[in-house]
Amino acid sequence: MFAASVLSVIISSYLLLSALNRGGKKAANSGFLYFLLIAFSQIVLSFEVLSLFKALSKTGFLTANAVFLTVSAVIFIKCRIKCHCGPANAGAESRTLQEILNALKRDKALKFLSVCFILFLIFQLITVIFFPVTAGDALSYYLPRCTSWIQNGSISHYITPDTRELIMPVNMELLYTWLLLFTKSENGSGIFSYTGYLCAVYVIYNILKELNFSVKRRLWAVFAFSSFSLAIAEMTEPCFDLFT
């Protein structure tokens, strides 16, 4: 059921992104981030609306997914007829990949670091998916907050000795709630921090591109950021620093 929910969010977000696509250079270069922002907003809005009716459940969320998917399909079809917008494509990302490959061919040091970087991402992804959560904040208030919402069917206030569960922003915890609602396990909840890390790398690279830095310098900046101990520690735990 979680796979069906994820697939629905991906498809509806892609359709909405395509409806917004007018072929502009800026939109094309930012498509990946727009896609993630639409998906994130969709998940948060679904929980907010369901909470009003105390309907936080698998059935309720899948119903919200179906509504979003239907609405996004209608918007895409209407937009394609009236505005001639087309499906979002990965043209900008493919050109960026080709730039990187060309730069790696000319620099052995960067080629070695890129291999290490890919292995690092693979090992961290394995850690995210299969290892249990160990972060203190996550165990003391992030995840307990999520389970309380699921039990109550709402994100309204409840009795708790930890006031952080009542006063802190809710948006990131709603992502963890989405996972817990379907899987009933905290394993894998770090995938959102992992995604935030990938977004940070993507943003760093593209900001330097806008500032006309060479591909080599952009890659060195990405590898330098990836070596920060705090980034390494937080990309596998349910923390929202990297995602923010």
Side-chain angles (χ1 to χ4, degrees), residues 131-175:
F131 283 67
V133 175
T134 58
D137 282 345
L139 294 174
S140 63
Y141 106 87
Y142 293 160
L143 298 180
R145 192 182 198 188
C146 299
T147 55
S148 296
W149 288 340
I150 294 173
Q151 290 172 355
N152 297 332
S154 167
I155 62 173
S156 300
H157 284 188
Y158 52 90
I159 298 175
T160 175
D162 193 336
T163 56
R164 293 179 299 175
E165 296 182 32
L166 305 179
I167 63 177
M168 298 297 285
V170 303
N171 287 350
M172 281 304 301
E173 277 85 350
L174 290 177
L175 291 180

Side-chain angles (χ1 to χ4, degrees), residues 175-229:
L175 291 180
Y176 309 142
T177 305
W178 182 37
L179 177 69
L180 288 169
L181 182 65
F182 287 96
T183 66
K184 300 186 184 301
S185 171
E186 75 274 10
N187 287 3
S189 54
I191 193 65
F192 302 111
S193 295
Y194 186 87
T195 303
Y197 169 85
L198 296 179
C199 288
V201 168
Y202 183 88
V203 169
I204 289 170
Y205 185 89
N206 281 279
I207 287 176
L208 294 178
K209 183 177 182 179
E210 291 294 324
L211 296 174
N212 295 320
F213 279 80
S214 67
V215 176
K216 289 184 179 181
R217 291 186 178 184
R218 292 177 227 162
L219 291 175
W220 278 112
V222 167
F223 294 148
F225 169 76
S226 302
S227 69
F228 292 164
S229 58

Side-chain angles (χ1 to χ4, degrees), residues 80-154:
R80 188 163 191 180
I81 294 173
K82 294 182 179 179
C83 308
H84 304 290
C85 60
N89 59 69
E93 283 73 14
S94 63
R95 289 191 295 272
T96 298
L97 179 59
Q98 189 59 50
E99 288 179 351
I100 293 174
L101 292 176
N102 291 336
L104 295 179
K105 290 178 182 178
R106 298 190 296 267
D107 193 315
K108 292 183 179 180
L110 280 178
K111 186 182 296 185
F112 173 75
L113 286 174
S114 65
V115 172
C116 295
F117 179 67
I118 293 172
L119 291 175
F120 164 72
L121 291 179
I122 293 173
F123 290 141
Q124 292 294 81
L125 182 60
I126 292 173
T127 301
V128 164
I129 295 175
F130 297 106
F131 283 67
V133 175
T134 58
D137 282 345
L139 294 174
S140 63
Y141 106 87
Y142 293 160
L143 298 180
R145 192 182 198 188
C146 299
T147 55
S148 296
W149 288 340
I150 294 173
Q151 290 172 355
N152 297 332
S154 167

Side-chain angles (χ1 to χ4, degrees), residues 67-89:
V67 171
F68 267 108
L69 185 58
T70 303
V71 170
S72 60
V74 171
I75 292 174
F76 173 74
I77 293 171
K78 287 187 175 181
C79 185
R80 188 163 191 180
I81 294 173
K82 294 182 179 179
C83 308
H84 304 290
C85 60
N89 59 69

